[in-house]
Amino acid sequence: MSEPRKQQAPGRDREGLKRAAFETVAVHAGGDPDVETGAVVPPIYAVSTYAQDSVGSPRSGYVYGRGSNPTRTRLEQRLAALEGGSFACAFSSGMAAEDAVFRALCRPGDEVLIPTDVYGGTYRLLDKVFSLWGLKYVPVSISDSNAVRLAIKPGVTRLIWCETPTNPLLNVADIRQLATVAHEAGTLLVVDNTFASPCLQQPLMLGADIAVHSTTKYIGGHSDVIGGATVTQSQDLDAAIRFHQNAAGAVPSPFDAWLVLRGSQTLAVRVNQQSDTALSLATEISKHPAVERVFYPGLDVHPGHQLASRQMRKYGGMISFTLAGGENAALQVCNSVKLFTLAESLGAVESLICHPLRMTHASAAGSSVAPPANLVRLSIGLEAFDDLASDLFVALDSVK
Ligand SMILES: *Cc1c(COP(=O)(O)O)cnc(C)c1O
């Protein structure tokens, strides 16, 4: 993780942090001590409106809490810095962030390209909400940049929606290539970077136009808050999204913004550890006779392994695998683990297990983007490898 030593030492100000390593940015960006009191931890500004000194002269730019809030501003500064971007908008959920992107950038008659195994909530939003407003979606194999290029309809395809690694099949897409494909065709590349987190990959640095996050997951990291965000280098894209942040108002509460701020400070240590444990677990699970196939980009049998090795700093904390014994075996594994918690969501300190088809991706069941019925998904937390491995192996042994 260490960056080459720079001539000038990093400081805690915005300019200084541009020279700092990711771990340092995660702790300090947007986190200066409170100007009034010196409090080391940012205050939670529980407030809806701000006094004006005279009509039209708000004291420091803050007017009304839907539009902006100082705790949220700090979070937006942190998120922008984590992605190597210039602007971020924080939302009350990852879906609210996605909703704002589609509203801001798409118009009736437009099409968006989505991964064939896109996150279930994204599929539902497009299929059940935006299709009613004339926005079409086209599933495409996002790991195949050429297939994406061929699926673009000039003047109609408004954006390419990319997840990498995908949820739940951990397919890897080439962000740099997709950005080129998108820009050659005059469209935009949006990357849902929830799975990798900016600790492992920074899509904007690879040419993507917008990074989207469910901060509920790795960035928050403690299963205690729902949140979302968009990050971009473009002032125009940010302004378009920010307009909807205020106009539709799906903003995080000051306390929620504070929780994400706090969680994000340990992002690097958590994700590094989770990635190491996941790589060891994926390797072990592959050897178990009850397991049909393991989906983890860190394994050299994974079709995206080479690309992931170039594009990501590590391979992340998410593992999926199919069971030779079919759906019943998958359900039994989910139901018999004791240390893993059976729950939706991912990216937190405790390890979770889920059956995507019946849980996270139930809204895609029966569709072309439905996950396999014998698939189990793991989110690796911060427990010790040995404890997680023995819990999982007892469950796997029971379906042998
Ligand atoms: C969870 C998730 C979302 C949605 O985020 P919420 O915070 O639950 O609204 C979007 N994309 C991916 C990849 C996710 O895992």
Side-chain angles (χ1 to χ4, degrees):
M1 294 283 291
S2 65
E3 310 269 351
R5 282 271 157 256
K6 307 281 165 49
Q7 288 303 316
Q8 222 178 334
R12 277 198 285 112
D13 58 322
R14 220 182 154 99
E15 282 309 304
L17 284 177
K18 281 191 184 146
R19 294 187 294 275
F22 185 85
E23 292 84 343
T24 309
V25 172
V27 173
H28 289 295
D32 274 350
D34 179 38
V35 172
E36 200 171 315
T37 62
V40 168
V41 174
I44 301 170
Y45 283 86
V47 62
S48 63
T49 192
Y50 306 86
Q52 309 200 4
D53 291 327
S54 60
V55 175
S57 305
R59 234 166 256 183
S60 51
Y62 292 97
V63 176
Y64 184 64
R66 174 159 31 72
S68 51
N69 172 283
T71 315
R72 195 200 314 163
T73 303
R74 285 173 174 269
L75 173 60
E76 291 175 340
Q77 287 168 353
R78 166 88 40 89
L79 293 170
L82 289 177
E83 282 289 10
S86 309
F87 309 96
C89 285
F91 288 89
S92 55
S93 72
M95 291 319 304
E98 295 193 14
D99 178 73
V101 170
F102 292 127
R103 283 171 199 264
L105 304 182
C106 300
R107 296 293 174 267
D110 287 350
E111 286 187 9
V112 300
L113 301 183
I114 58 168
T116 44
D117 58 341
V118 68
Y119 172 69
T122 307
Y123 175 76
R124 180 176 52 202
L125 183 65
L126 288 166
D127 186 58
K128 297 284 189 295
V129 181
F130 282 105
S131 64
L132 302 179
W133 300 95
L135 177 64
K136 295 202 191 70
Y137 62 87
V138 179
V140 54
S141 171
I142 207 83
S143 331
D144 182 348
S145 303
N146 203 39
V148 173
R149 191 172 57 78
L150 294 173
I152 294 178
K153 294 185 198 145
V156 176
T157 306
R158 180 66 184 131
L159 54 90
I160 300 169
W161 189 274
C162 170
E163 283 176 42
T164 180
T166 57
N167 177 9
L169 290 177
L170 286 304
N171 288 315
V172 182
D174 191 324
I175 297 174
R176 200 185 288 280
Q177 256 178 31
L178 288 178
T180 306
V181 165
H183 297 152
E184 277 172 6
T187 70
L188 298 170
L189 177 66
V190 181
V191 177
D192 179 341
N193 202 26
T194 300
F195 254 44
S197 94
C199 176
L200 300 182
Q201 121 195 325
Q202 294 171 307
L204 304 180
M205 303 286 100
L206 299 169
D209 299 284
I210 300 172
V212 171
H213 279 284
S214 168
T215 55
T216 310
K217 315 292 170 55
Y218 284 101
I219 294 179
H222 294 76
S223 299
D224 55 8
V225 61
I226 299 284
T230 60
V231 189
T232 178
Q233 311 268 29
S234 155
Q235 191 154 16
D236 289 346
L237 289 177
D238 181 70
I241 295 168
R242 196 169 292 281
F243 175 81
H244 286 272
Q245 184 194 38
N246 178 50
V251 294
S253 74
F255 182 55
D256 287 354
W258 185 89
L259 280 171
V260 178
L261 256 179
R262 180 165 92 151
S264 66
Q265 289 186 294
T266 53
L267 178 64
V269 279
R270 284 186 281 107
V271 170
N272 275 313
Q273 182 60 50
Q274 286 161 331
S275 299
D276 291 348
T277 310
L279 179 58
S280 308
L281 266 179
T283 308
E284 287 306 308
I285 298 169
S286 311
K287 299 174 192 154
H288 198 283
V291 172
E292 181 186 67
R293 181 170 167 197
V294 177
F295 302 82
Y296 186 71
L299 299 179
D300 52 19
V301 293
H302 188 285
H305 178 64
Q306 300 293 335
L307 171 57
S309 304
R310 289 199 303 277
Q311 186 167 272
M312 303 174 73
R313 287 164 121 178
K314 289 188 178 183
Y315 305 102
M318 299 301 298
I319 306 170
S320 291
F321 59 95
T322 48
L323 277 296
E327 180 167 23
N328 282 341
L331 295 174
Q332 190 179 326
V333 169
C334 290
N335 290 332
S336 47
V337 286
K338 298 208 160 53
L339 185 55
F340 280 84
T341 302
L342 178 63
E344 301 198 358
S345 199
L346 58 113
V349 296
E350 69 286 327
S351 292
L352 304 179
I353 191 167
C354 87
H355 184 262
L357 183 62
R358 292 186 182 223
M359 297 171 67
T360 48
H361 290 61
S363 55
S367 79
S368 60
V369 300
N374 62 340
L375 188 77
V376 168
R377 190 188 78 181
L378 305 175
S379 168
I380 304 306
L382 292 177
E383 304 91 337
F385 164 78
D386 286 344
D387 296 331
L388 292 173
S390 40
D391 186 40
L392 208 51
F393 271 63
V394 170
L396 288 171
D397 286 347
S398 76
V399 299
K400 238 194 322 221

